[in-house]
Amino acid sequence: MNKFVYVLFFLGASCMHKNIPLTAPQPVKKAFTHSKHGDNRQDDYYWLRERENPDVIKYLQSENAYTESVMAPAKKIEEKIFGELKSRVKEDESSAPVKDGNYYYSARYELGQQYPLHVRRLGSATGPEEILLNIPALAQGHSFYQSTGPRMSMDQNKMAYSVDTVGRRFFTIYFKDLKTNTMLPDKIENVSGNMAWANDNETVFYSQQDPNTLRVHKIFRYSLKTHKAELIYEEKDETFSCYVYKSLSDKFIYIGSFSTLSSEIRYIDADRPLNAATLFQKREKEVKYMVTDHVDRFYITTNKDAKNFKLMTAELTNTAASAWKELVPHRKDTYLMDVTVFKNYLVLEERFNGITQLQIMDLQGKNPYLIPFADQSYLASVGDNREFDTDTLRYDYESMRLPSSVYDFNMKTHQQVLVKRDEVPNYDENLYRTERVFLTVRDGTKVPVSLIMKKDLKLDGSAPMLVYGYGSYGANMDPWFNSEIFSLVDRGFVYAKAHIRGGSEMGREWYDQGRTVNKKNTFYDFIDCTMELVNLKYADPQRIYAMGGSAGGLLMGAVMNMRPDLYKGMVAQVPFVDVITTMLDDSIPLTTSEYDEWGNPNEKTAYDYIKSYSPYDNVKDARYPNVLVTTGLHDSQVQYWEPAKWVPRLREHNKGDSVILLKTDLEAGHGGASGRFDQLKETATEYAFILMLDQPAAL
């Protein structure tokens, strides 16, 4: 019996629908019921999680074919957009060389290549070049190839690097002797890619994930002398994950255990890598702390009795929290994100009023200096710094209008030098303007929104607008530069990035107001910001589009159910849409570690709240907007079956003539394609979908 039946899918008679097939793929329904807390949920597409089932692959392929046929009228504009996107890429781009000892490290692309070369030069940034990793050559024969790049030993004579050729973020670590230019026989498979060298040039610490849940829960010590790995730490708490890192001073190796709301650190003398790890401070509920060091003390950022974090110090001989000393106190209006410790300076990465700032001070927390920035909306962050004993801070700066720039700032004289600014061909920053507005949402909260548009755009309510959002995990969607968006902006679009609650743009409280039992604030903020932008004449209410990925795809799904009439079209990238089912299944990757983000639905109160917004469970009879949904078969973060079953359910309940499409990358994972030009093709498809809806006459 044929596993697939095809149903009539009425698309309407508007010009954009001419020559579009009238049938959409329909996976067979297989009755399945989820039962919890006396509540039954019907899930007829649950079987689509059978990754090895040939019928699942056939269904995904049929959806791809359908999407291609529906978007056939937009093929020329898609190709044109891809050409535009590629034209704004400097094909032989290179990164700013970064000094580490006697070498200067960088990455560079060659014309036409999808992947970079990792290189170094001896003595100066213009010295003789040594190719460390030829990624274009290594990637040959692979449809997907991702590398962490080189990780150098202390003497810089050995190199480790890790590679994923599937897209599920399982890496293999390889080693090379750079003095003899030969690969070592050592190979460590199925690891996370996270690693750190000890100071003996022979020992590497690395982390490994569970093969099923993907939770990173083990730290190993590997010896290039004995060719053996030893488990030195295992995180038993299923709500925690772990990782390893090394301080800039090279004094200690750290093992960090973390959950959404708590953390715990252990440390090992990097000169004595065979020592057992020492516990820094026992974990406490809802207390996070992070540790780095100087020669004679530790520096700790923590939110213990400090919502927005404060900076503390501890002696090397006593790391108990009771012995910590306050260096930079908690500030209600400033969110302390991180600290970088140099030999003579501290650099604090902070947020004030939602905008990043860099503050420099001495080791005693005195003589603070805030690096001044002229723009009202921008992103400034500590860059690639590899030397501890230096007066130079490398930092990165960009805005929605200005491409990323790398500066070297002298922390002693306060003078700075522009090292490199990304070259963006066929782009003129003077043609655009940016704005930053605070919009009042339904509970009175003022939400910041960053916007970019053509400089001469009139705010008369006639422009199309794309609104982007995320709002989860405390992640910040800063106003960074994105050369791709100008293919829409040049066609008259306003691009709005809504800094909604659930991120940390306005501090830690901003995050807390958008998680667990406050999660709906994220969705309300996005809806209300969109409506207020329309009221302020930034856009035509009939020409509004929305985009979000992963947890931002959850945002798209929830908003779509709450206000199916508000947006003409949506792009939901790798969307997390079956929240209740996923969070009840602890065999699915990353579930247990996210109870503090979404709530634990094994508890009825959390179950009821999650179910009240979970996109898959709240699909209803409505006139849904046009939707393009993307996913990856090998996605390790959001399993492909969530969007795969969401799409047919949306179609079943859609009472309008909108198109609802699913496009699955059968080779890639959560991050999409690995090659830089292949990634642009994905963007071109998304933009062509939007333009097919907004400007059909241009097709």
Side-chain angles (χ1 to χ4, degrees):
M1 175 181 170
N2 188 352
K3 297 289 185 181
F4 297 94
V5 296
Y6 291 87
V7 296
L8 186 66
F9 185 68
F10 181 68
L11 293 172
S14 67
C15 61
M16 66 159 281
H17 297 319
K18 289 180 180 178
N19 302 318
I20 290 179
L22 296 181
T23 56
Q26 172 62 49
V28 67
K29 290 185 175 183
K30 298 182 180 182
F32 186 89
T33 302
H34 301 280
S35 297
K36 190 72 175 179
H37 303 302
D39 180 49
N40 296 322
R41 295 179 300 118
Q42 195 67 24
D43 190 356
D44 294 337
Y45 303 122
Y46 186 73
W47 69 275
L48 288 174
R49 65 193 283 129
E50 299 169 10
R51 190 190 305 270
E52 305 303 322
N53 186 336
D55 288 335
V56 171
I57 302 301
K58 288 178 184 177
Y59 167 63
L60 297 177
Q61 290 172 334
S62 69
E63 286 283 7
N64 282 352
Y66 177 69
T67 295
E68 185 175 356
S69 64
V70 170
M71 291 192 60
K75 192 64 179 177
K76 287 185 178 179
I77 193 68
E78 183 177 345
E79 292 172 351
K80 180 176 175 58
I81 292 171
F82 174 70
E84 293 171 4
L85 300 179
K86 192 174 180 181
S87 76
R88 289 192 288 272
V89 174
K90 187 175 185 294
E91 291 204 29
D92 57 350
E93 180 64 285
S94 61
S95 65
V98 56
K99 186 175 183 296
D100 188 1
N102 294 325
Y103 288 97
Y104 290 77
Y105 291 85
S106 64
R108 64 176 179 84
Y109 286 92
E110 294 187 331
L111 294 175
Q113 293 293 340
Q114 295 253 43
Y115 301 97
L117 300 169
H118 292 275
V119 303
R120 68 178 180 181
R121 296 175 184 271
L122 181 62
S124 74
T126 58
E129 181 183 85
E130 176 186 2
I131 295 177
L132 300 173
L133 285 175
N134 186 334
I135 303 297
L138 293 171
Q140 287 184 5
H142 298 283
S143 58
F144 181 94
Y145 194 92
Q146 182 180 2
S147 173
T148 58
R151 299 291 184 265
M152 311 306 297
S153 62
M154 272 291 285
D155 62 8
Q156 302 188 68
N157 290 327
K158 292 188 181 75
M159 173 183 69
Y161 66 97
S162 58
V163 171
D164 171 19
T165 58
V166 175
R168 281 187 65 78
R169 302 183 183 179
F170 282 90
F171 289 82
T172 298
I173 301 176
Y174 299 93
F175 297 89
K176 186 175 184 178
D177 186 323
L178 297 175
K179 292 186 72 175
T180 62
N181 197 33
T182 57
M183 295 296 297
L184 299 178
D186 307 79
K187 183 170 67 172
I188 309 172
E189 297 179 307
N190 296 319
V191 297
S192 71
N194 164 233
M195 69 181 97
W197 283 91
N199 292 345
D200 64 355
N201 307 303
E202 299 287 348
T203 306
V204 172
F205 296 85
Y206 65 90
S207 59
Q208 185 177 58
Q209 64 272 61
D210 182 276
N212 297 313
T213 67
L214 306 188
R215 182 175 70 93
V216 181
H217 65 127
K218 292 180 179 179
I219 303 294
F220 289 85
R221 174 171 48 216
Y222 185 85
S223 171
L224 291 176
K225 283 186 176 180
T226 66
H227 312 291
K228 293 181 179 179
E230 178 186 1
L231 177 66
I232 63 168
Y233 179 72
E234 182 174 3
E235 178 53 65
K236 299 293 183 65
D237 188 329
E238 292 185 347
T239 66
F240 278 70
S241 298
C242 59
Y243 62 103
V244 62
Y245 66 99
K246 191 179 186 182
S247 60
L248 184 60
S249 72
D250 292 318
K251 187 173 181 63
F252 291 107
I253 302 287
Y254 294 92
I255 297 171
S257 292
F258 67 96
S259 68
T260 302
L261 301 180
S262 302
S263 61
E264 183 177 77
I265 304 294
R266 289 169 171 78
Y267 61 100
I268 299 172
D269 189 328
D271 288 327
R272 298 173 176 81
L274 297 182
N275 285 2
T278 301
L279 177 63
F280 193 90
Q281 164 63 33
K282 186 178 180 180
R283 67 189 65 175
E284 296 181 44
K285 186 178 181 180
E286 298 190 11
V287 172
K288 301 201 78 167
Y289 72 94
M290 190 70 180
V291 182
T292 188
D293 60 77
H294 193 265
V295 175
D296 60 352
R297 77 196 75 170
F298 293 105
Y299 287 84
I300 309 109
T301 56
T302 180
N303 67 344
K304 184 176 177 62
D305 302 320
K307 189 79 169 182
N308 278 336
F309 289 77
K310 58 187 175 182
L311 182 61
M312 312 287 282
T313 63
E315 300 299 322
L316 298 183
T317 55
N318 187 0
T319 63
S322 58
W324 296 357
K325 297 179 181 178
E326 185 176 273
L327 191 67
V328 177
H330 175 257
R331 294 156 291 170
K332 288 185 178 181
D333 62 353
T334 304
Y335 178 39
L336 174 59
M337 297 184 292
D338 199 7
V339 61
T340 302
V341 179
F342 293 93
K343 184 177 180 180
N344 297 309
Y345 306 94
L346 304 175
V347 179
L348 277 58
E349 291 185 85
E350 304 172 332
R351 284 184 180 276
F352 178 78
N353 204 27
I355 295 295
T356 52
Q357 60 185 29
L358 301 177
Q359 184 168 195
I360 299 166
M361 57 184 63
D362 62 30
L363 297 176
Q364 289 72 45
K366 306 296 183 183
N367 302 310
Y369 179 82
L370 204 61
I371 299 179
F373 301 111
D375 294 301
Q376 64 168 333
S377 181
Y378 61 87
L379 170 61
S381 57
V382 171
D384 191 353
N385 294 272
R386 304 190 188 184
E387 295 193 319
F388 177 65
D389 186 3
T390 180
D391 289 335
T392 301
L393 164 71
R394 173 157 292 185
Y395 75 86
D396 302 322
Y397 179 88
E398 61 189 295
S399 74
M400 295 177 80
R401 188 177 65 90
L402 299 175
S404 179
S405 298
V406 177
Y407 288 89
D408 279 348
F409 183 87
N410 189 299
M411 294 180 281
K412 184 176 183 179
T413 66
H414 298 168
Q415 301 298 307
Q416 69 180 20
V417 175
L418 175 62
V419 178
K420 186 181 187 304
R421 182 180 180 186
D422 284 355
E423 294 183 48
V424 183
N426 303 301
Y427 172 72
D428 182 355
E429 66 196 48
N430 297 309
L431 298 178
Y432 310 96
R433 76 173 189 265
T434 59
E435 296 183 15
R436 186 168 184 261
V437 295
F438 281 82
L439 305 178
T440 303
V441 298
R442 65 190 67 186
D443 66 358
T445 301
K446 293 185 181 297
V447 177
V449 178
S450 299
L451 304 111
I452 188 164
M453 64 207 79
K454 294 183 75 172
K455 194 171 188 177
D456 58 358
L457 183 80
K458 295 180 179 179
L459 300 184
D460 58 7
S462 65
M465 178 172 66
L466 175 62
V467 188
Y468 181 86
Y470 188 75
S472 291
Y473 302 108
N476 301 305
M477 295 295 107
D478 285 303
W480 53 68
F481 183 80
N482 174 12
S483 67
E484 299 169 7
I485 197 62
F486 295 100
S487 284
L488 292 181
V489 174
D490 285 346
R491 288 175 170 84
F493 274 74
V494 172
Y495 178 59
K497 184 175 283 190
H499 308 293
I500 52 183
R501 283 175 285 183
S504 295
E505 287 92 339
M506 299 295 289
R508 187 71 179 183
E509 181 66 22
W510 201 250
Y511 170 47
D512 288 341
Q513 289 181 16
R515 66 176 182 87
T516 58
V517 296
N518 297 315
K519 189 63 211 172
K520 288 182 183 178
N521 285 335
T522 303
F523 317 136
Y524 296 150
D525 286 358
F526 193 83
I527 291 169
D528 294 352
C529 284
T530 299
M531 294 174 63
E532 186 60 19
L533 288 170
V534 170
N535 292 338
L536 293 172
K537 303 296 184 181
Y538 280 96
D540 181 339
Q542 303 302 315
R543 303 176 70 188
I544 307 173
Y545 304 87
M547 180 182 289
S550 193
L554 160 63
L555 170 68
M556 296 297 102
V559 165
M560 188 190 310
N561 287 328
M562 293 175 177
R563 285 295 306 271
D565 61 311
L566 188 55
Y567 303 91
K568 186 172 185 178
M570 285 185 164
V571 177
Q573 305 155 320
V574 292
F576 176 36
V577 287
D578 191 10
V579 186
I580 195 76
T581 304
T582 293
M583 294 305 296
L584 280 170
D585 187 349
D586 59 13
S587 70
I588 291 178
L590 310 178
T591 292
T592 56
S593 63
E594 298 196 358
Y595 288 153
D596 287 331
E597 180 71 29
W598 312 105
N600 182 354
N602 291 295
E603 301 167 0
K604 190 175 187 308
T605 301
Y607 176 94
D608 290 341
Y609 187 79
I610 295 172
K611 187 185 175 186
S612 72
Y613 69 75
S614 178
Y616 188 67
D617 292 291
N618 286 277
V619 173
K620 59 189 178 183
D621 289 347
R623 296 179 64 87
Y624 280 105
N626 301 280
V627 188
L628 172 62
V629 182
T630 65
T631 188
L633 180 62
H634 301 294
D635 195 326
S636 60
Q637 311 301 109
V638 177
Q639 304 303 310
Y640 73 89
W641 59 74
E642 292 197 33
K645 65 181 188 175
W646 180 47
V647 164
R649 178 172 279 192
L650 279 173
R651 288 181 184 144
E652 287 177 27
H653 291 271
N654 185 24
K655 299 304 178 183
D657 62 356
S658 57
V659 292
I660 300 174
L661 306 177
L662 173 65
K663 188 174 189 293
T664 304
D665 189 326
L666 298 174
E667 304 292 342
H670 194 63
S674 56
R676 58 174 175 163
F677 299 135
D678 290 338
Q679 293 171 357
L680 296 181
K681 290 178 181 178
E682 295 176 349
T683 302
T685 300
E686 294 167 356
Y687 288 1
F689 174 76
I690 292 172
L691 292 174
M692 182 175 74
L693 302 171
D694 190 75
Q695 301 173 13
L699 301 183

